[in-house]
Amino acid sequence: MNARLRALCDLSVPMVREYSGRHEYDGVLQDLSADGVARGLAALGGPAVDDPQDDAHLAAFEDLARVTYGELALHRSNPLFHVANLDLACYDREYAPAAERAEARARHVAAWPEAIDAAVGVLDAVPAPIAAATVGAARGLASGLRPGDRGPEDAALRAHTRLVEHLTKQVRIGPRDAALGAPALARLLGSAEAMTVDLTALSRRADAERDRLRAMLAEGCRRLAPGVPVSEVVAGLLADHPDAAGVLDEARALTAETIAWTAERELAPFHDGECRVGPAPESRQWSMAMMSWAAAGEPPGPSWYHVTPPSPHWPADQQEEWLRVFSRTTLPTITVHEVAPGHFSHGVALRHVDSPVRRTLLGEAFIEGWAHYAEEMSVEEGFHAADPRYAIGVAIEALVRVTRLACSIGLHTGSMTVGDATRRFEADAFSAGPAAVAEAQRGTFDPTYGRYTWGKFAILDLREKARASWGSEFSLSRLHRELLALGAPPLGLMDAIL
């Protein structure tokens, strides 16, 4: 890596280690102390690189780092920067021999006390709502540690207790307002994407998209069950799901189907990877479904579509609530998103990108926007065309994502409270009770969680530009091939394909 790329990786250690496959960072924790962050920011920049696209890509990520750690100092107010830094789950993936990963994990654990001392020292501006929403994630960090070893793991556990106590105190004494403010939110969003963001226009577009998705949902329900209210149709569909033993079988069948369908339609440029299906490692079983791809910087290996059934030890009602996510209406949409032509296809394409910059610096809005775009693009291309449930599932999932976008803007511009956001999820996204509360609370500490819909908007806008520019030479195959050759670019740099 050149010096500019290395400096950015040093400020993004958890991300580049796991998702870009930069395993020279195994066993290394990012220095999130005040002095460490200052040194990291001072190291940013340098001479332009030869490729203008790579140079612009680097510049956008440098701007984002300066905004994140400098202008907004989010490492002082958001514990998740430190939770990600401490997380040991990255060593559960089989990217290297078990002994090698165990040794890296041991070095990581041994570094916990110093990193937690830094975290406690620097987390001096945590709002109470963010502390309350993230203290559970901080507690969960210790789930894989073994007490009583009279060595590094005991020392790590003692340090972990200090971190949890600090966040628990912030729940009591932290500021009550977690809003970034409109200028700060616009700066955070725009810096990541090399563009200027108009929050008012983006909010209006989110509302229009909600209305379009409601109409799409109503049409699908009308096709499936004429005359029955939409809410009743949706409730019945979500209740139709495999049992815990059958979830993985249905996910495996859908995985094979989506990969074959994507290849047949040439909707992704490469098809040489292997995707396995199974439960997430114990450390990641808080996630119902996720893609753990073979990262671009790693030797060839399988990607994993993790689908986690509920624990048989849970109460029956809790198991049922978990299984509704895997309904026969929504599981196909989730699989298209996570596997093909979504994240798995994207991960395979990243392995064919030559540029170290594009293979390493991955834009989250593009990653999630691509997979979300793939869901409805698959409706347009005829996936499960004879079964209205697929389009219904796409609409249900998309309503959750567009509600996140609306609520992130509302919460951080001050036009919504967490209670308002909760009611918005209940009204617009078929969420209820704890699920709606959790979605609303997530917006306080994850202000960019509208990236799914925003990224989808950007790709759809680019598609129309390409259709107009390329004329008879336009095809989805060409669009997707040229777009994924950019890696996971800032949204404002995608026009380079034109």
Side-chain angles (χ1 to χ4, degrees), residues 92 123 170 312 333 372 464:
D92 289 338
L123 283 169
Q170 290 300 120
T333 305
H372 190 32
E464 293 315 301

Side-chain angles (χ1 to χ4, degrees), residues 194-232:
M195 59 177 22
T196 300
V197 176
D198 182 337
L199 294 178
T200 301
L202 191 56
S203 182
R204 283 199 299 264
R205 188 167 182 182
D207 288 346
E209 177 71 353
R210 173 200 58 195
D211 295 342
R212 186 188 73 84
L213 291 167
R214 282 175 168 172
M216 176 180 169
L217 177 62
E219 172 59 19
C221 290
R222 185 198 63 76
R223 287 178 57 203
L224 189 68
V228 180
V230 168
S231 59
E232 290 185 23

Side-chain angles (χ1 to χ4, degrees), residues 153-188:
E153 299 216 356
D154 269 348
L157 283 166
R158 289 192 296 271
H160 175 260
T161 298
R162 295 197 300 276
L163 176 62
V164 172
E165 288 174 348
H166 178 74
L167 295 182
T168 302
K169 180 181 178 182
Q170 290 300 120
V171 174
R172 298 194 308 271
I173 69 169
R176 314 315 294 179
D177 185 5
L180 290 174
L185 178 62
R187 185 79 177 97
L188 180 64

